[in-house]
Structure formats: structure tokens, C-alpha cells
Amino acid sequence: MTGTWTMRAGAAWSWRTGWRSLLLLLLFAGLPPAQARDTGATLAAEQGMLWQISAPATGKTSYLFGTIHSEDSRVTTLAPAVQNAFNRSTRYVMEIIPDQASMVAASQAMLLGQGASLRALVGTSLFDQTVRILRELGVPPEAADRFKPWAAMVIMSMPRAETGQVLDLLLYNAALKAGKAQSGLESAMEQLSIFDSLPLAEQKVLLAEAVALYPQMPGILEQLHLAYIARDLARLAALSDQYSNMGDARLASKVNDALVDQRNQRMAERMEGYLREGGAFVAVGALHLPGKQGLLQLLRKRGYVVTAVY
């Protein structure tokens, strides 16, 4: 991880670094547990990352694009069909608008209160393992000691960043440059409160699992990238099952219900105004799309015609 580590307004990291970690929440937050999804035929029918959404009655069209929060050039180089849909749209809608307020909220929410210590909360052994990993990612020990357990877990689970220009942000910057309207479906605090509300014991379990899984992260991320590049929602779902089974299944189900199913309901409701208006390009994590509780099915249930484009 790159970025300037500061102690500004009580934050032990830069806004830029904080936003990268916030984005990572959705790289894995988009991995719903097996029991929350369809299987077989339904997933197989939902292949594609770009979908045309036609509003009931009016037929006005928008696009729903599944993203992966990555700066990999295989991801950030848009296919012509995606670029054309983006160019035709008048509004860009993403999960969270990356403005200063969101970045400050993310930075502050991930830090312990004054005088609190990660070492004291999780014990010396787990803390020392956490520090070794975070140091590899550019986080000094004194900054690591300020993080909440779930925040340390999020940071060590993210892909190594060089530029921070992940797909969602590139699209956001392109929308700004093109003069498109921009809208967010959620606030930073709505997302982060999911982790913040977890009891300390559960945060420690998540952190310990992340430490244990860390050596496998490059391979896991590559498999996710390959499935995404192939536009294979079924493969992404299968990988989700595989990784969810590596840890505490009960806790994984609890967290993913909050991070995926509940957020899908909220995002579907909030994007409706933009979809009825038409001309929107909505970009959300790809694994919010498939399954009975996925956005594709939720929008169909609301009367929208959902058609694969790419």
C-alpha cells in the first residue's frame, strides 16, 4: 500500500489510503454465502457484467455494470460495449461518492478511540502477526495499533495498490470530466457500520482468519480477476462459496447477509429513481448482481426488463 501516513485530526492515515481500504470492503463484501444464492441454472443464465435496464411503462433505459474494485489493467481497460454505454449515459451512479466527507468518515471510523490499543484488544500474538503483514503493506506499527480489529482485517485483505485508480474511481473521474451528474447509493458510514457493530470477539475472529489467509491472497485475487474478466458470475459465486468455507461459517453468513443481501435491497430501492428517469450508468460490485437476492432479480421483481449486453 502506498500513501502518506499522518496523524491529522486524530487519523493515523491519509484520506487517499483510507478510501482505498474503504473500497476493498466491496471487493469481498460482494461475496455472498452459499445459502443466500441460487444455484445451477439460474446463475448460469446470469452471465455478463453489463446489463440494460428498461423501466416499466416508460421503457426508458439505463445500464447496470458489475465492477471489481481493482486497478489491474485487465479490468480497467473497458470493453467497447461498456465504454459506449458509459458514453451514452447522462448520470454515473456508484456505491459511494468518493468526496472528502466520505474519506474523512472512512478514516475516522476505522480508528480506535483515544487511548485504546489494538494490541490490548487482540493480544500480543495476533497483534504481532498483524503488524508484520501490515508493515508489508506500508503501515507502520504505531499506525497499526490505532486500528480497530475489523479495519486491520480489511486492509490486509486488499490487493496491493500502486496508483489507487481502481475501476470505480476511474469511471467516477471520467464522469466528472464528461460533465455527467454523479450520485451515490450509500454513505460511507452505512457500509462501515456493518463491521463497527460487530462484537469485539467476532472482530477478532475475522482478523485471525485474515492473518491465516494472507499467504493465499495473491492466488485468491487472481482467481477472482480471471472469473471477472471472463464475465462469469457463476464462477465468482463458486469462488465465494469456497472462500466462505475457509472460516467461521456462522460469522461469514451473518456478515455477508448484512454486506450483501440487506445492501442489495437498499441499493435496488435507491437506484429506482435514476432508473425511472433513464440515462443512468450504475456501477456496483459484480457479486451484488446474481442470485435470488441479487440486483438483477430484485429489479425484475420490480417490473424492470433486465437484458445482458456484455
Side-chain angles (χ1 to χ4, degrees):
M1 177 188 298
T2 59
T4 302
W5 292 84
T6 64
M7 293 295 292
R8 182 180 306 164
W13 59 342
S14 69
W15 288 344
R16 180 182 178 192
T17 304
W19 178 244
R20 291 184 197 163
S21 292
L22 176 60
L23 284 174
L24 174 62
L25 288 174
L26 300 179
L27 178 62
F28 286 100
L31 301 179
Q35 59 267 32
R37 290 195 304 267
D38 283 304
T39 59
T42 301
L43 277 173
E46 292 180 342
Q47 297 302 292
M49 292 300 163
L50 179 66
W51 298 77
Q52 181 176 289
I53 312 295
S54 299
T58 67
K60 290 184 177 180
T61 61
S62 295
Y63 294 94
L64 177 60
F65 180 49
T67 67
I68 184 170
H69 306 297
S70 169
E71 62 181 31
D72 191 306
S73 61
R74 296 172 297 175
V75 167
T76 58
T77 302
L78 297 181
V82 178
Q83 187 67 64
N84 290 338
F86 179 81
N87 292 343
R88 289 196 298 270
S89 301
T90 57
R91 179 181 295 274
Y92 176 62
V93 183
M94 62 191 302
E95 292 168 9
I96 299 174
I97 293 295
D99 56 17
Q100 179 173 307
S102 294
M103 290 186 279
V104 171
S107 297
Q108 295 291 340
M110 297 176 84
L111 296 174
L112 293 165
Q114 189 68 30
S117 161
L118 180 61
R119 180 192 293 273
L121 290 178
V122 304
T124 299
S125 177
L126 180 55
F127 177 75
D128 288 345
Q129 294 176 76
T130 299
V131 165
R132 282 196 296 271
I133 292 172
L134 293 185
R135 184 183 286 116
E136 291 182 22
L137 300 173
V139 184
E142 62 272 18
D145 200 33
R146 294 290 315 283
F147 286 125
K148 296 174 182 177
W150 68 260
M153 175 274 294
V154 165
I155 295 170
M156 71 174 60
S157 302
M158 69 190 297
R160 290 182 181 274
E162 297 297 333
T163 68
Q165 293 301 302
V166 296
L167 177 58
D168 312 71
L169 288 181
L170 289 174
L171 289 168
Y172 173 71
N173 289 332
L176 287 175
K177 185 176 181 180
K180 300 179 188 291
Q182 310 96 38
S183 302
L185 296 173
E186 300 175 295
S187 71
M189 293 312 300
E190 282 177 322
Q191 287 191 359
L192 295 175
S193 64
I194 295 170
F195 285 110
D196 232 11
S197 63
L198 292 174
L200 174 60
E202 293 182 342
Q203 292 188 40
K204 289 172 65 175
V205 170
L206 290 175
L207 178 57
E209 290 179 353
V211 167
L213 194 61
Y214 181 74
Q216 301 179 53
M217 284 303 298
I220 290 172
L221 292 170
E222 179 61 12
Q223 289 300 310
L224 289 169
H225 277 89
L226 291 174
Y228 179 82
I229 293 163
R231 308 191 303 282
D232 191 342
L233 291 177
R235 176 60 177 159
L236 283 174
L239 289 169
S240 162
D241 291 343
Q242 177 183 337
Y243 303 144
S244 293
N245 289 335
M246 290 181 176
D248 184 317
R250 182 201 63 80
L251 181 55
S253 179
K254 173 183 176 179
V255 172
N256 282 302
D257 176 68
L259 283 170
V260 183
D261 290 352
Q262 293 179 32
R263 290 181 56 230
N264 283 352
Q265 294 286 344
R266 182 166 65 207
M267 289 194 289
E269 179 179 344
R270 291 180 182 178
M271 71 174 63
E272 273 208 85
Y274 308 122
L275 298 178
R276 288 194 297 266
E277 181 180 314
F281 186 96
V282 183
V284 300
L287 279 163
H288 288 288
L289 302 187
K292 289 182 179 180
Q293 302 302 317
L295 289 174
L296 300 177
Q297 287 298 324
L298 292 179
L299 291 174
R300 288 175 180 133
K301 289 177 182 178
R302 291 169 181 257
Y304 293 87
V305 177
V306 180
T307 308
V309 176
Y310 175 80

